[in-house]
Amino acid sequence: MYRKMLRIRMIEEGIVERYAEQEMRCPVHLSIGQEAAAVGVCHNLKHTDRVFSTHRCHAHYLAMDGNLKAMLAEIYGKAEGCMGGRGGSMHLADHAKGLIASVPIVGSSIPLAVGTALSDHIDGNQNVSVAFFGDGSVEEGVFHESANFASLHKLPVLFVCENNFFSVYTPLKDRQPPRKLVDLALAHGMKFASADGNDVSAVFNASREAVLHARNGNGPTFLLFDTYRWRAHCGTDFDNNIGYRDEAEFQEWRLRCPIDNCKVKLQDLNLLSAEYEESLVLEFKKEIDSAFEFAKSAPLPESSQAQTHVYV
């Protein structure tokens, strides 16, 4: 899991480094600071499971072993992209790996996951569906409708709330009354669990139990992981200067970096040497540089294909 988190961080920092070149054909929503939630959950899943992500989908795609070259080509709007260059950063998918769709409309991952969970429930297999979403999504009616339906029919679905405390630029405390978000699951008669979203081991353990619960036919679980995005809601900049969060809060969360904290734990257990850490960085840097080169040099989609997959 440490490998995956470090690789995701380096890939997104690679996007930051190159975004100002203005060759990427879409806005980007980065997961830097939130890697543990994606990796801890997805490490429990099989590629036959069905994962639905949001506008902030890079980490979920990579945690499910999505193809890096296809991901970057998609962000560059190229024909070799995982969506043929049609979707961009917010619409990543890799069906062979279980990442079925990424949907930027807030809350829209939720009913899709419930739909595939219903399908798997009817078919009698043991696949699990997962809906990733942010804290803003629980304010959408579709969350409650989906949670009620999934709980009523004991569907094999995980509702994974990555609570980064902001809906775009509005803090959670200015949007909701003081309450525990897991109480929302309780209201729908659903099993729930919460863990430190920056502790990949805690996320893994909480989601492992939820996955087993779903595979055994016992129904859905609401998982709450508190975490924090470091960069802007959209784009590559740091945006503390615009006033919706203060620098002290930001620095407090940076000290809780999921990758640094995992590294310290591994080093304390003599499971991560400086030499191995250095080899990982070199391995990932080489892979990432090659993938960016591939994406930049890949062809654009043919204009004759513009209406393909367009339904009227």
Side-chain angles (χ1 to χ4, degrees):
M1 290 191 286
Y2 177 76
R3 277 182 58 99
K4 282 192 173 180
M5 289 197 298
L6 178 62
R7 182 172 178 263
I8 291 169
R9 174 71 61 86
M10 289 182 64
I11 290 167
E12 291 211 306
E13 291 290 2
I15 292 172
V16 171
E17 181 182 330
R18 295 165 176 84
Y19 196 72
E21 297 170 358
Q22 299 190 3
E23 294 185 43
M24 299 182 203
R25 301 302 179 102
C26 58
V28 292
H29 300 74
L30 302 175
S31 305
I32 294 173
Q34 299 188 190
E35 296 89 348
V39 171
V41 172
C42 293
H43 211 66
N44 286 292
L45 300 177
K46 303 175 181 177
H47 291 152
T48 51
D49 292 322
R50 308 171 196 272
V51 176
F52 295 86
S53 182
T54 67
H55 54 281
R56 205 175 305 284
C57 57
H58 301 169
H60 303 140
Y61 177 92
L62 296 166
M64 288 299 290
D65 303 318
N67 185 298
L68 175 59
K69 288 184 176 179
M71 170 182 149
L72 293 179
E74 185 62 38
I75 295 174
Y76 277 82
K78 299 298 183 68
E80 301 292 338
C82 59
M83 299 292 285
R86 296 168 180 274
S89 167
M90 293 187 281
H91 293 90
L92 302 182
D94 190 332
H95 290 184
K97 300 298 184 182
L99 196 291
I100 306 302
S102 304
V103 192
I105 298 172
V106 172
S108 293
S109 62
I110 299 170
L112 296 176
V114 171
T116 55
L118 175 62
S119 173
D120 288 325
H121 178 68
I122 292 171
D123 291 343
N125 61 45
Q126 290 192 314
N127 292 338
V128 171
S129 293
V130 178
F132 282 102
F133 51 86
D135 45 294
S137 290
V138 303
E139 297 156 18
E140 298 283 341
V142 73
F143 164 74
H144 298 279
E145 295 158 6
S146 301
N148 177 73
F149 187 85
S151 184
L152 179 65
H153 295 282
K154 293 186 178 299
L155 300 184
V157 57
L158 273 58
F159 298 93
V160 182
C161 180
E162 296 176 321
N163 175 27
N164 65 17
F165 299 95
F166 294 97
S167 179
V168 189
Y169 302 121
T170 307
L172 180 64
K173 63 182 176 56
D174 292 342
R175 307 186 332 259
Q176 296 193 31
R179 63 183 173 188
K180 297 177 181 177
L181 288 181
V182 292
D183 288 349
L184 300 175
L186 191 62
H188 292 292
M190 190 188 308
K191 176 183 170 66
F192 63 86
S194 61
D196 180 352
N198 279 15
D199 182 337
V200 72
S201 296
V203 173
F204 174 80
N205 289 330
S207 52
R208 177 177 58 183
E209 185 175 336
V211 169
L212 292 174
H213 184 79
R215 288 204 202 284
N216 291 331
N218 295 316
T221 300
F222 178 86
L223 293 167
L224 177 67
F225 300 124
D226 291 349
T227 184
Y228 204 79
R229 64 169 164 78
W230 291 9
R231 300 273 178 168
H233 162 69
C234 180
T236 59
D237 295 335
F238 293 104
D239 64 353
N240 302 341
N241 60 314
I242 65 176
Y244 74 100
R245 60 184 181 184
D246 62 47
E247 186 68 18
E249 176 185 280
F250 174 71
Q251 293 299 339
E252 181 183 340
W253 277 96
R254 286 200 70 160
L255 291 175
R256 295 172 60 182
C257 173
I259 298 172
D260 288 347
N261 291 338
C262 183
K263 179 165 65 176
V264 169
K265 289 180 180 178
L266 291 173
Q267 290 172 335
D268 288 344
L269 294 169
N270 292 320
L271 295 174
L272 180 66
S273 66
E275 293 77 14
Y276 183 61
E277 169 80 6
E278 184 178 352
S279 72
L280 281 182
V281 171
L282 291 174
E283 173 192 336
F284 295 150
K285 184 178 187 309
K286 183 177 180 181
E287 179 199 11
I288 292 165
D289 287 345
S290 174
F292 271 104
E293 185 177 338
F294 170 85
K296 288 185 174 186
S297 60
L300 290 166
E302 295 288 340
S303 58
S304 62
Q305 300 298 308
Q307 293 187 5
T308 305
H309 307 305
V310 175
Y311 301 95
V312 294

